[in-house]
Amino acid sequence: MKIAPSLLSCDFSVMGEEIRRMDKAGADWMHLDVMDGHFVPNLTFGAPVIKWVRKYSDKPFDVHLMISEPLRYIDDFADAGADIITFHVECDSDIDATIDKIRERGILPGLVIKPNTPASAVFPYLDKLALVLVMTVEPGFGGQSFMADMLPKVKEIKAEAQKRGIDLLIEADGGIGAATIAQAAEAGVDVCVAGTAVFKAEDAAKAIAQLQAY
Ligand code: DX5
Ligand code: ZN
């Protein structure tokens, strides 16, 4: 299992150092949660911050946009050094135009679905995507409980991609740790985001290695 520590749980005053620490601890990707206080009821950071912390790791930067109009900001996040950009199928931007814009910039595009959104919502776009992110909590905050009832969606999306011969990664985000990752692995998740489980661990390297074993 690939593990992407969510920087939402880090000390923002030393975010660069926290990224370096996660890099050394063996993280596969860095997961950066961008929130606009409109699409979700919380605010975090935007492209300028990502640009500043980019130099602290060469690992892929997985930028999760929880914003109403992602299309307006794709260039900014591309310039900041994103490798993967995921945005919500529930957003207000044109989905096809946003995926195309991400591809144009040489970045891997992913669509995210909230807990109340069915798996089928991403099916019209599947051929153009590199990954689908299935939320296993309501987006907005770290430290929430894992929703195991989201896992059938992982299986549905996997099955549809296989049927069409599409090479697609499935990522899961929210409430993932030692007690829940086995279920995600069993459902076929390829990449797990983990905030609390990694940042609140005494030994981040040990926590990451333990999760990667699945
Ligand atoms: C929630 C974010 C997640 C969150 C995960 O909106 O998308 O990335 O930080 O944190 P944990 O692992 O603590 O649930
Ligand atoms: Zn996230």
Side-chain angles (χ1 to χ4, degrees), residues 82-101:
D83 299 287
I84 298 146
I85 294 181
T86 65
F87 65 100
H88 280 258
V89 73
E90 307 90 356
C91 76
D92 296 333
S93 292
D94 183 273
I95 304 297
D96 280 301
T98 308
I99 296 170
D100 294 346
K101 180 82 196 165

Side-chain angles (χ1 to χ4, degrees), residues 6 8 31 33 35 64 66 135 139-143 173-175 193-196:
S6 162
L8 185 61
H31 185 82
D33 289 303
M35 304 186 189
H64 176 190
M66 285 159 274
M135 291 305 303
F141 301 92
D173 183 5
V193 176
T196 312

Side-chain angles (χ1 to χ4, degrees), residues 122-173:
V122 299
F123 288 178
Y125 314 101
L126 229 46
D127 305 80
K128 300 165 77 173
L129 298 172
L131 69 112
V132 170
L133 170 47
V134 176
M135 291 305 303
T136 43
V137 298
E138 279 300 336
F141 301 92
Q144 303 181 75
S145 300
F146 181 73
M147 299 166 79
D149 50 337
M150 296 299 121
L151 295 174
K153 295 201 282 191
V154 171
K155 291 185 177 172
E156 252 183 272
I157 297 163
K158 275 241 140 171
E160 184 67 20
Q162 249 156 26
K163 197 174 89 189
R164 295 201 224 163
I166 301 167
D167 199 13
L168 185 81
L169 289 176
I170 309 282
E171 187 175 21
D173 183 5

Side-chain angles (χ1 to χ4, degrees), residues 96-120:
D96 280 301
T98 308
I99 296 170
D100 294 346
K101 180 82 196 165
I102 295 170
R103 284 275 186 203
E104 262 168 45
R105 294 297 313 255
I107 293 165
L108 298 176
L111 266 177
V112 193
I113 50 172
K114 295 206 280 187
N116 287 328
T117 303
S120 59

